[in-house]
Tab-separated table of all heavy atoms in Angstrom:
chain	number	residue	atom	x	y	z
A	1	ASN	N	-110.975	-73.020	2.975
A	1	ASN	CA	-111.744	-72.229	3.923
A	1	ASN	C	-113.225	-72.438	3.626
A	1	ASN	O	-113.726	-72.170	2.485
A	1	ASN	CB	-111.401	-70.734	3.783
A	1	ASN	CG	-110.034	-70.429	4.370
A	1	ASN	OD1	-109.687	-70.871	5.453
A	1	ASN	ND2	-109.213	-69.689	3.621
A	2	LEU	N	-113.979	-72.916	4.613
A	2	LEU	CA	-115.367	-73.329	4.431
A	2	LEU	C	-116.288	-72.483	5.291
A	2	LEU	O	-116.046	-72.336	6.471
A	2	LEU	CB	-115.512	-74.790	4.802
A	2	LEU	CG	-116.958	-75.355	5.011
A	2	LEU	CD1	-117.644	-75.478	3.675
A	2	LEU	CD2	-116.880	-76.675	5.754
A	3	ASP	N	-117.353	-71.971	4.690
A	3	ASP	CA	-118.372	-71.205	5.515
A	3	ASP	C	-119.639	-71.085	4.680
A	3	ASP	O	-119.653	-71.416	3.487
A	3	ASP	CB	-117.826	-69.890	5.989
A	3	ASP	CG	-118.379	-69.522	7.363
A	3	ASP	OD1	-119.580	-69.720	7.616
A	3	ASP	OD2	-117.630	-69.008	8.224
A	4	LEU	N	-120.610	-70.485	5.289
A	4	LEU	CA	-121.937	-70.267	4.643
A	4	LEU	C	-121.771	-69.382	3.431
A	4	LEU	O	-120.848	-68.530	3.349
A	4	LEU	CB	-122.906	-69.623	5.622
A	4	LEU	CG	-123.299	-70.452	6.874
A	4	LEU	CD1	-124.010	-69.593	7.862
A	4	LEU	CD2	-124.170	-71.631	6.447
A	5	PRO	N	-122.626	-69.511	2.436
A	5	PRO	CA	-122.501	-68.706	1.210
A	5	PRO	C	-122.433	-67.197	1.513
A	5	PRO	O	-121.626	-66.486	0.863
A	5	PRO	CB	-123.756	-69.059	0.448
A	5	PRO	CG	-124.058	-70.479	0.849
A	5	PRO	CD	-123.700	-70.511	2.293
A	6	GLU	N	-123.287	-66.693	2.407
A	6	GLU	CA	-123.201	-65.253	2.726
A	6	GLU	C	-121.916	-64.825	3.332
A	6	GLU	O	-121.448	-63.670	3.125
A	6	GLU	CB	-124.387	-64.811	3.603
A	6	GLU	CG	-124.452	-65.508	4.938
A	6	GLU	CD	-125.372	-66.672	4.991
A	6	GLU	OE1	-125.398	-67.440	3.970
A	6	GLU	OE2	-126.070	-66.893	6.017
A	7	THR	N	-121.289	-65.709	4.071
A	7	THR	CA	-119.982	-65.430	4.680
A	7	THR	C	-118.880	-65.449	3.622
A	7	THR	O	-118.011	-64.541	3.616
A	7	THR	CB	-119.716	-66.410	5.782
A	7	THR	OG1	-120.740	-66.315	6.837
A	7	THR	CG2	-118.330	-66.121	6.423
A	8	ILE	N	-118.892	-66.450	2.799
A	8	ILE	CA	-117.878	-66.579	1.757
A	8	ILE	C	-117.974	-65.430	0.777
A	8	ILE	O	-116.973	-64.945	0.252
A	8	ILE	CB	-117.956	-67.927	1.038
A	8	ILE	CG1	-117.540	-69.067	2.012
A	8	ILE	CG2	-117.090	-67.958	-0.175
A	8	ILE	CD1	-116.116	-69.021	2.512
A	9	ALA	N	-119.207	-64.926	0.526
A	9	ALA	CA	-119.349	-63.733	-0.352
A	9	ALA	C	-118.634	-62.599	0.192
A	9	ALA	O	-117.971	-61.822	-0.558
A	9	ALA	CB	-120.830	-63.467	-0.566
A	10	VAL	N	-118.703	-62.373	1.515
A	10	VAL	CA	-117.924	-61.306	2.162
A	10	VAL	C	-116.448	-61.616	2.089
A	10	VAL	O	-115.606	-60.710	1.769
A	10	VAL	CB	-118.376	-61.092	3.648
A	10	VAL	CG1	-117.489	-60.088	4.336
A	10	VAL	CG2	-119.832	-60.682	3.670
A	11	ARG	N	-116.081	-62.812	2.377
A	11	ARG	CA	-114.636	-63.193	2.386
A	11	ARG	C	-114.001	-62.991	0.984
A	11	ARG	O	-112.883	-62.545	0.907
A	11	ARG	CB	-114.510	-64.615	2.834
A	11	ARG	CG	-113.041	-65.044	3.007
A	11	ARG	CD	-112.857	-66.459	3.568
A	11	ARG	NE	-111.446	-66.734	3.640
A	11	ARG	CZ	-110.731	-66.588	4.732
A	11	ARG	NH1	-111.322	-66.177	5.862
A	11	ARG	NH2	-109.448	-66.828	4.758
A	12	GLN	N	-114.726	-63.324	-0.063
A	12	GLN	CA	-114.221	-63.184	-1.380
A	12	GLN	C	-113.958	-61.736	-1.770
A	12	GLN	O	-113.025	-61.431	-2.526
A	12	GLN	CB	-115.172	-63.812	-2.423
A	12	GLN	CG	-115.177	-65.319	-2.337
A	12	GLN	CD	-116.231	-65.981	-3.239
A	12	GLN	OE1	-117.222	-65.321	-3.541
A	12	GLN	NE2	-115.995	-67.229	-3.677
A	13	ARG	N	-114.711	-60.831	-1.172
A	13	ARG	CA	-114.474	-59.383	-1.435
A	13	ARG	C	-113.253	-58.902	-0.631
A	13	ARG	O	-112.500	-58.062	-1.146
A	13	ARG	CB	-115.709	-58.553	-1.046
A	13	ARG	CG	-116.970	-58.930	-1.831
A	13	ARG	CD	-117.979	-57.797	-1.899
A	13	ARG	NE	-118.283	-57.124	-0.649
A	13	ARG	CZ	-119.334	-57.411	0.106
A	13	ARG	NH1	-120.172	-58.393	-0.242
A	13	ARG	NH2	-119.549	-56.726	1.207
A	14	LEU	N	-113.093	-59.377	0.563
A	14	LEU	CA	-112.044	-58.877	1.457
A	14	LEU	C	-110.783	-59.666	1.393
A	14	LEU	O	-109.675	-59.109	1.525
A	14	LEU	CB	-112.552	-58.836	2.888
A	14	LEU	CG	-113.791	-57.966	3.190
A	14	LEU	CD1	-114.270	-58.189	4.601
A	14	LEU	CD2	-113.492	-56.524	2.914
A	15	LEU	N	-110.882	-60.954	1.183
A	15	LEU	CA	-109.726	-61.847	1.148
A	15	LEU	C	-109.832	-62.751	-0.040
A	15	LEU	O	-109.981	-63.981	0.056
A	15	LEU	CB	-109.650	-62.647	2.455
A	15	LEU	CG	-109.435	-61.893	3.758
A	15	LEU	CD1	-109.714	-62.801	4.959
A	15	LEU	CD2	-107.997	-61.354	3.820
A	16	PRO	N	-109.678	-62.242	-1.277
A	16	PRO	CA	-109.700	-63.083	-2.462
A	16	PRO	C	-108.511	-64.035	-2.444
A	16	PRO	O	-107.412	-63.637	-2.107
A	16	PRO	CB	-109.605	-62.092	-3.605
A	16	PRO	CG	-108.987	-60.855	-3.014
A	16	PRO	CD	-109.403	-60.821	-1.585
A	17	GLU	N	-108.788	-65.283	-2.768
A	17	GLU	CA	-107.764	-66.318	-2.670
A	17	GLU	C	-107.702	-67.159	-3.914
A	17	GLU	O	-108.669	-67.333	-4.677
A	17	GLU	CB	-108.070	-67.237	-1.426
A	17	GLU	CG	-107.950	-66.425	-0.105
A	17	GLU	CD	-108.761	-67.029	1.005
A	17	GLU	OE1	-109.500	-68.000	0.786
A	17	GLU	OE2	-108.621	-66.552	2.160
A	18	ASN	N	-106.535	-67.756	-4.120
A	18	ASN	CA	-106.347	-68.680	-5.248
A	18	ASN	C	-105.107	-69.569	-4.975
A	18	ASN	O	-104.571	-69.516	-3.884
A	18	ASN	CB	-106.133	-67.870	-6.594
A	18	ASN	CG	-105.041	-66.826	-6.460
A	18	ASN	OD1	-103.989	-67.048	-5.908
A	18	ASN	ND2	-105.286	-65.658	-7.020
A	19	GLY	N	-104.717	-70.305	-5.926
A	19	GLY	CA	-103.526	-71.184	-5.748
A	19	GLY	C	-103.825	-72.267	-4.767
A	19	GLY	O	-104.764	-73.060	-4.893
A	20	ALA	N	-103.006	-72.311	-3.706
A	20	ALA	CA	-103.106	-73.359	-2.710
A	20	ALA	C	-104.295	-73.163	-1.715
A	20	ALA	O	-104.583	-74.030	-0.968
A	20	ALA	CB	-101.805	-73.456	-1.900
A	21	ILE	N	-104.920	-71.970	-1.808
A	21	ILE	CA	-106.017	-71.635	-0.893
A	21	ILE	C	-107.326	-71.596	-1.687
A	21	ILE	O	-107.454	-70.933	-2.696
A	21	ILE	CB	-105.791	-70.316	-0.193
A	21	ILE	CG1	-104.445	-70.307	0.541
A	21	ILE	CG2	-106.922	-69.997	0.797
A	21	ILE	CD1	-104.064	-68.934	1.116
A	22	SER	N	-108.316	-72.387	-1.204
A	22	SER	CA	-109.609	-72.423	-1.892
A	22	SER	C	-110.732	-72.074	-0.920
A	22	SER	O	-110.527	-72.192	0.288
A	22	SER	CB	-109.856	-73.865	-2.451
A	22	SER	OG	-108.901	-74.230	-3.355
A	23	GLN	N	-111.892	-71.700	-1.443
A	23	GLN	CA	-112.993	-71.337	-0.627
A	23	GLN	C	-114.205	-72.230	-0.959
A	23	GLN	O	-114.444	-72.459	-2.186
A	23	GLN	CB	-113.378	-69.856	-0.833
A	23	GLN	CG	-112.160	-68.969	-0.893
A	23	GLN	CD	-112.369	-67.624	-0.223
A	23	GLN	OE1	-112.579	-67.576	0.954
A	23	GLN	NE2	-112.295	-66.543	-0.985
A	24	ILE	N	-114.912	-72.688	0.045
A	24	ILE	CA	-116.108	-73.521	-0.183
A	24	ILE	C	-117.296	-72.819	0.459
A	24	ILE	O	-117.275	-72.595	1.710
A	24	ILE	CB	-115.922	-74.932	0.390
A	24	ILE	CG1	-114.709	-75.595	-0.244
A	24	ILE	CG2	-117.156	-75.763	0.217
A	24	ILE	CD1	-114.370	-76.969	0.383
A	25	ALA	N	-118.308	-72.517	-0.273
A	25	ALA	CA	-119.508	-71.803	0.228
A	25	ALA	C	-120.569	-72.796	0.536
A	25	ALA	O	-121.474	-73.073	-0.251
A	25	ALA	CB	-119.999	-70.764	-0.778
A	26	MET	N	-120.493	-73.404	1.754
A	26	MET	CA	-121.484	-74.412	2.188
A	26	MET	C	-121.574	-74.365	3.689
A	26	MET	O	-120.655	-73.909	4.398
A	26	MET	CB	-121.037	-75.836	1.746
A	26	MET	CG	-120.990	-76.020	0.264
A	26	MET	SD	-120.445	-77.725	-0.167
A	26	MET	CE	-121.923	-78.675	0.269
A	27	SER	N	-122.685	-74.885	4.199
A	27	SER	CA	-122.828	-75.076	5.629
A	27	SER	C	-121.854	-76.156	6.106
A	27	SER	O	-121.597	-77.101	5.399
A	27	SER	CB	-124.263	-75.481	5.994
A	27	SER	OG	-124.362	-75.967	7.311
A	28	ALA	N	-121.387	-76.060	7.355
A	28	ALA	CA	-120.539	-77.087	7.916
A	28	ALA	C	-121.240	-78.418	8.007
A	28	ALA	O	-120.586	-79.484	8.065
A	28	ALA	CB	-120.039	-76.618	9.300
A	29	MET	N	-122.600	-78.408	8.039
A	29	MET	CA	-123.365	-79.657	8.198
A	29	MET	C	-123.702	-80.256	6.832
A	29	MET	O	-124.281	-81.331	6.758
A	29	MET	CB	-124.620	-79.424	8.988
A	29	MET	CG	-124.397	-79.378	10.498
A	29	MET	SD	-123.612	-77.834	11.055
A	29	MET	CE	-125.016	-76.727	10.944
A	30	ASP	N	-123.409	-79.543	5.723
A	30	ASP	CA	-123.650	-80.097	4.378
A	30	ASP	C	-122.516	-81.093	4.038
A	30	ASP	O	-121.485	-81.169	4.760
A	30	ASP	CB	-123.657	-78.977	3.324
A	30	ASP	CG	-124.920	-78.123	3.389
A	30	ASP	OD1	-125.910	-78.582	3.990
A	30	ASP	OD2	-124.899	-76.988	2.847
A	31	ASP	N	-122.699	-81.818	2.947
A	31	ASP	CA	-121.688	-82.764	2.543
A	31	ASP	C	-120.550	-82.084	1.708
A	31	ASP	O	-120.447	-82.301	0.495
A	31	ASP	CB	-122.334	-83.929	1.728
A	31	ASP	CG	-121.360	-85.050	1.466
A	31	ASP	OD1	-120.288	-85.095	2.075
A	31	ASP	OD2	-121.695	-85.923	0.629
A	32	TRP	N	-119.803	-81.285	2.438
A	32	TRP	CA	-118.762	-80.503	1.728
A	32	TRP	C	-117.560	-81.357	1.336
A	32	TRP	O	-116.688	-80.892	0.586
A	32	TRP	CB	-118.265	-79.336	2.597
A	32	TRP	CG	-118.062	-79.703	4.047
A	32	TRP	CD1	-118.902	-79.533	5.086
A	32	TRP	CD2	-116.853	-80.254	4.606
A	32	TRP	NE1	-118.315	-79.978	6.275
A	32	TRP	CE2	-117.073	-80.412	5.966
A	32	TRP	CE3	-115.613	-80.645	4.080
A	32	TRP	CZ2	-116.085	-80.958	6.833
A	32	TRP	CZ3	-114.683	-81.150	4.907
A	32	TRP	CH2	-114.908	-81.340	6.257
A	33	GLY	N	-117.473	-82.557	1.800
A	33	GLY	CA	-116.352	-83.419	1.464
A	33	GLY	C	-116.154	-83.608	-0.028
A	33	GLY	O	-115.042	-83.762	-0.527
A	34	GLY	N	-117.292	-83.600	-0.779
A	34	GLY	CA	-117.233	-83.796	-2.187
A	34	GLY	C	-116.507	-82.635	-2.914
A	34	GLY	O	-116.156	-82.771	-4.104
A	35	CYS	N	-116.373	-81.471	-2.250
A	35	CYS	CA	-115.677	-80.317	-2.888
A	35	CYS	C	-114.176	-80.384	-2.693
A	35	CYS	O	-113.462	-79.481	-3.172
A	35	CYS	CB	-116.216	-79.059	-2.270
A	35	CYS	SG	-117.978	-78.756	-2.562
A	36	ILE	N	-113.648	-81.407	-2.000
A	36	ILE	CA	-112.256	-81.505	-1.685
A	36	ILE	C	-111.632	-82.598	-2.532
A	36	ILE	O	-112.051	-83.753	-2.491
A	36	ILE	CB	-112.024	-81.738	-0.196
A	36	ILE	CG1	-112.516	-80.513	0.594
A	36	ILE	CG2	-110.587	-82.059	0.120
A	36	ILE	CD1	-112.493	-80.635	2.079
A	37	ALA	N	-110.615	-82.245	-3.306
A	37	ALA	CA	-109.962	-83.205	-4.212
A	37	ALA	C	-109.163	-84.243	-3.470
A	37	ALA	O	-109.147	-85.402	-3.850
A	37	ALA	CB	-109.142	-82.454	-5.231
A	38	GLU	N	-108.480	-83.811	-2.430
A	38	GLU	CA	-107.561	-84.686	-1.688
A	38	GLU	C	-108.343	-85.637	-0.799
A	38	GLU	O	-109.308	-85.224	-0.124
A	38	GLU	CB	-106.622	-83.843	-0.799
A	38	GLU	CG	-105.654	-82.953	-1.611
A	38	GLU	CD	-106.315	-81.692	-2.142
A	38	GLU	OE1	-107.432	-81.366	-1.696
A	38	GLU	OE2	-105.728	-81.055	-3.036
A	39	GLN	N	-107.924	-86.924	-0.850
A	39	GLN	CA	-108.562	-87.900	0.034
A	39	GLN	C	-107.515	-88.740	0.756
A	39	GLN	O	-107.747	-89.166	1.918
A	39	GLN	CB	-109.429	-88.818	-0.811
A	39	GLN	CG	-110.290	-89.764	0.021
A	39	GLN	CD	-111.310	-90.487	-0.814
A	39	GLN	OE1	-111.334	-90.422	-2.031
A	39	GLN	NE2	-112.221	-91.269	-0.191
A	40	ASP	N	-106.423	-89.019	0.086
A	40	ASP	CA	-105.408	-89.909	0.693
A	40	ASP	C	-104.295	-89.217	1.442
A	40	ASP	O	-103.574	-89.833	2.188
A	40	ASP	CB	-104.702	-90.764	-0.435
A	40	ASP	CG	-105.764	-91.661	-1.130
A	40	ASP	OD1	-106.651	-92.145	-0.443
A	40	ASP	OD2	-105.635	-91.877	-2.358
A	41	THR	N	-104.173	-87.872	1.282
A	41	THR	CA	-103.188	-87.167	2.062
A	41	THR	C	-103.714	-86.929	3.498
A	41	THR	O	-104.897	-86.855	3.726
A	41	THR	CB	-102.859	-85.769	1.441
A	41	THR	OG1	-104.096	-85.031	1.368
A	41	THR	CG2	-102.331	-85.950	0.042
A	42	PRO	N	-102.811	-86.819	4.466
A	42	PRO	CA	-103.248	-86.489	5.835
A	42	PRO	C	-103.985	-85.165	5.842
A	42	PRO	O	-103.677	-84.253	5.101
A	42	PRO	CB	-101.958	-86.438	6.601
A	42	PRO	CG	-100.947	-87.157	5.786
A	42	PRO	CD	-101.325	-86.972	4.357
């Protein structure tokens, strides 16, 4: 789940996630691809 830092801060309070679900606090126009481990899976 990717969104702006201020949005993810709210999300982390209301919908804390772990395991198979991760959160990325970045703009959609930033280079967020580097935060994603998977590259070869669909």
